[in-house]
Amino acid sequence: MLDITSLVRVHVEALIAEQHDMGVCDAIEEIERTAVPHNITQQNAALPATSRPDLGIFRARRGLSAMSAPHLPKVAGIEPALPAPAQTTDPRATPASAESASETTADDPSGVADLSTVDRIAAVQDRLAGWISDLSTLHDLTEQLARTRTLEDALRELLRAGAFLVGARRGLVVLAPQDGLGPETTVGLGLGHAEIGHIETVPRRALSYARILDGLPEPGAGDDAEARTEIAEPDIPGEKDLDPRLREVAARLGYAASYAVPLTAGPVGRLGAAVWLYDEPAEPGDRRRHLVGLYRAHAAEHLARLLELHRSRQAARTLREELLPSRLPRIPGVRLAVRHAAGPRGGGDWYDALPLPDGALGLAVGSVTGSGPSAVAAMGRLRASLRAYAVMEGEDPVAVLSDLELLMRLTEPARSATALFAFTEPPPGASGGPGGPPMPAGIGGPAPRKMVLAGAGHCPPLVLGDLRAEFVETSLSAPLGMLACWEAPSVEIEPACGETVILYSDGLLHRTGEPMDRAFARLHSAAAGVPRASRHDPEAVVDHIVRAMLPQGLDDPASEEDVVLLATYFEE
């Protein structure tokens, strides 16, 4: 399992190393090679103020470099908002200035050979400033990406930052790992589920991101490998070779161009593909393509780490769910409800409700020390053992927990566990149940059922009825595995018909972030606050307690605590 804290590391060294690809070192050498006259002070005096290098003010020479105009602003927010598609290059336009510039730079890559010494320095420094601004922008974007903690959040941040870099406003990313182990999902930016559904109605061979995922080259590109790295469709309405359904969907959703790139990282290989949509015919220039290429290289590595973490959590969650009851049993005269949530690392809290011979019912909650897959496995072994002991001698909860403690000392010497087991006798008069006491003439109705329970370091149950909300007084005892020999007296209670017995784990109390005495008081207040009309519905009871105790909900990624809440309602 991955170390979460390592995800916040920003690869500043790798970003700075990209200076070589962007030509920063060449620009510095250009400055050093420039021969500045000794009488530069006299020459500067005759220059306009906007061109004097000694005042730190230089005249920008537009067209000298694709990286110098316009510069991406440094974003810390991100500011400004995503640029409009109008800022991108229209692929249908071929200005003469671009052709002349290419001819000028053919023999002189720096593009400053025909300039004066001062202007050459100004031009090179202007290019340097643009490259530094680009590096700063990449640093800020990758830092924001590194703060994401879930796979979905990282995909949304990738879309947002990529749209900023390529000059688009909408897009989507398709996660489809090449190894086939999943998960597979689609996340949109400025696109709802219905709009993404419209795009998915286009034949797969006509979708640019689908061709990347399937490894298909551009039509007419042959086996050119570059055709698989990125696919630009700069003029969807005007391009006659595109699929008619694609043009129809694009017109309906209001986009006229797209730019798709693959996401590839590490041993996983291809993770998926991202595509950004433009409102008008447009195509990102070389500078924007270079920047988004640098960004997605780091983003893909971050996504690969989150993907591995997501898979580990999913595996632990699946294992834990398989080890817990898939459904609660149906017992005559009893209704059950449960709420369970595990921490992000997977914990060892468990619950059980099992029908016993002659119509009896066994209830259990417990917690194993530790977290992660090993704790989940230990929880499964402990719960299975308790079920076996409950079937054999469930009417004596103390004997059940004593046998469980002996098994733990022999097989799990490095662990301890808390547990509570309750044996509910069959209803009076039922087959195998005790005979009901004689009732006076004219008085009828069901008699209360007796419940015998024993606890080992676990929280006391709570009884809720129309006339009371109180904790059951249980004897204080150590958890299993803490003493050489565990034994504690059992407690008998008789919940009346219409009352609910609530069992829970200490994670419900710890998640409140309050001291234990105040957490117990808060639980008592939450149970007492259940509306009287809802006290005969165990589902409503557990939902009310969860809302009152955990305003952030059961699935709180910020909490490491497991939660178990099991309610047993005795029907009237």
Side-chain angles (χ1 to χ4, degrees):
M1 191 170 291
L2 293 179
D3 183 8
I4 304 297
T5 57
S6 65
L7 299 181
V8 300
R9 185 177 300 111
V10 180
H11 300 281
V12 179
E13 295 85 356
L15 289 176
I16 299 302
E18 298 294 343
Q19 296 177 70
H20 299 283
D21 295 337
M22 302 174 71
V24 174
C25 294
D26 295 338
I28 295 175
E29 293 177 358
E30 178 66 27
I31 294 178
E32 294 176 350
R33 288 197 304 267
T34 303
V36 181
H38 294 288
N39 59 347
I40 188 68
T41 304
Q42 290 81 357
Q43 294 185 17
N44 289 338
L47 292 173
T50 57
S51 301
R52 290 188 56 181
D54 55 332
L55 296 179
I57 305 174
F58 301 99
R59 181 174 55 220
R61 309 286 294 192
R62 296 185 179 272
L64 293 177
S65 172
M67 300 292 295
S68 61
H71 298 318
L72 286 176
K74 181 177 179 179
V75 287
I78 298 277
E79 293 182 0
L82 297 179
Q87 296 178 359
T88 59
T89 304
D90 188 343
R92 298 169 299 181
T94 55
S97 58
E99 298 178 0
S100 60
S102 62
E103 294 175 357
T104 302
T105 57
D107 299 327
D108 180 20
S110 64
V112 294
D114 57 339
L115 302 178
S116 65
T117 300
V118 174
D119 286 344
R120 291 173 64 188
I121 296 176
V124 172
Q125 290 191 354
D126 183 66
R127 292 166 59 193
L128 271 177
W131 290 328
I132 293 173
S133 176
D134 291 338
L135 289 175
S136 179
T137 298
L138 289 176
H139 175 274
D140 291 341
L141 292 176
T142 54
E143 186 176 23
Q144 292 190 27
L145 178 69
R147 294 194 186 103
T148 57
R149 290 292 179 271
T150 65
L151 193 58
E152 184 174 356
D153 289 344
L155 291 174
R156 295 189 184 280
E157 176 61 26
L158 166 67
L159 272 179
R160 188 186 65 87
F164 173 81
L165 291 174
V166 302
R169 294 194 301 118
R170 293 182 292 173
L172 60 91
V173 58
V174 179
L175 183 68
Q178 191 174 10
D179 55 14
L181 301 179
E184 296 186 2
T185 185
T186 302
V187 177
L189 173 69
L191 298 173
H193 293 293
E195 294 170 312
I196 294 176
H198 280 303
I199 295 176
E200 291 176 346
T201 62
V202 177
R204 188 172 178 86
R205 66 181 182 278
L207 292 171
S208 57
Y209 68 85
R211 294 200 298 271
I212 290 177
L213 294 176
D214 297 340
L216 301 178
E218 275 291 86
D223 296 329
D224 186 7
E226 289 298 323
R228 303 172 187 230
T229 60
E230 58 182 40
I231 298 177
E233 293 173 335
D235 187 8
I236 294 177
E239 182 60 51
K240 302 305 180 182
D241 294 336
L242 296 179
D243 189 278
R245 179 59 182 169
L246 174 61
R247 293 202 301 270
E248 177 184 347
V249 170
R252 178 180 301 179
L253 300 184
Y255 70 90
S258 67
Y259 177 64
V261 296
L263 301 173
T264 307
V268 180
R270 188 206 63 219
L271 296 172
V275 56
W276 290 279
L277 309 177
Y278 298 92
D279 295 344
E280 300 175 357
E283 183 177 2
D286 292 340
R287 170 173 164 267
R288 289 184 179 271
R289 294 189 186 209
H290 183 65
L291 289 177
V292 78
L294 297 177
Y295 175 78
R296 65 185 171 93
H298 294 283
E301 295 296 333
H302 183 67
L303 287 174
R305 291 190 291 269
L306 288 180
L307 177 64
E308 181 181 349
L309 179 61
H310 178 83
R311 288 175 174 177
S312 300
R313 289 176 175 173
Q314 285 294 106
R317 184 179 296 111
T318 302
L319 175 62
R320 183 171 57 250
E321 291 174 353
E322 291 296 325
L323 293 175
L324 292 176
S326 58
R327 61 181 180 86
L328 296 175
R330 294 183 177 181
I331 306 296
V334 173
R335 281 189 288 159
L336 301 169
V338 68
R339 297 293 181 269
H340 173 258
R345 297 183 181 180
D349 287 14
W350 90 89
Y351 66 93
D352 208 347
L354 63 155
L356 298 175
D358 301 326
L361 172 66
L363 300 171
V365 292
S367 177
V368 177
T369 56
S371 61
S374 62
V376 173
M379 174 267 288
R381 293 191 295 267
L382 203 63
R383 173 178 169 267
S385 302
L386 187 143
R387 290 174 69 93
Y389 295 140
V391 171
M392 293 186 296
E393 49 189 4
E395 67 279 357
D396 186 359
V398 173
V400 171
L401 294 186
S402 297
D403 292 343
L404 192 63
E405 194 272 341
L406 176 60
L407 180 68
M408 279 196 63
R409 285 196 289 112
L410 295 176
T411 61
E412 308 276 353
R415 292 190 184 275
S416 63
T418 65
L420 187 147
F421 179 73
F423 174 80
T424 303
E425 292 184 347
S431 176
M439 302 299 293
I443 300 178
R449 300 174 67 170
K450 185 172 70 172
M451 177 182 287
V452 184
L453 56 91
H458 207 79
C459 304
L462 189 149
V463 180
L464 174 65
D466 290 336
L467 302 178
R468 63 171 175 168
E470 60 186 22
F471 290 103
V472 176
E473 294 185 5
T474 57
S475 59
L476 183 63
S477 63
L480 303 176
M482 296 291 290
L483 301 178
C485 181
W486 176 91
E487 187 169 345
S490 60
V491 177
E492 292 185 6
I493 60 174
E494 291 187 355
C497 297
E499 291 188 330
T500 303
V501 177
I502 302 171
L503 309 181
Y504 54 94
S505 66
D506 58 357
L508 178 66
L509 306 175
H510 290 310
R511 277 206 184 188
T512 63
E514 299 178 344
M516 290 301 289
D517 56 341
R518 296 181 62 181
F520 274 112
R522 185 171 175 177
L523 174 59
H524 181 273
S525 177
V530 176
R532 291 190 179 274
S534 302
R535 294 191 180 187
H536 302 278
D537 182 5
E539 296 285 346
V541 170
V542 293
D543 284 338
H544 180 88
I545 293 177
V546 168
R547 287 194 301 267
M549 295 287 291
L550 308 174
Q552 69 278 13
L554 282 174
D555 299 325
D556 181 14
S559 176
E560 300 288 335
E561 298 288 341
D562 293 4
V563 174
V564 170
L565 187 61
L566 177 63
T568 306
Y569 173 74
F570 295 90
E571 295 179 337
E572 301 179 8

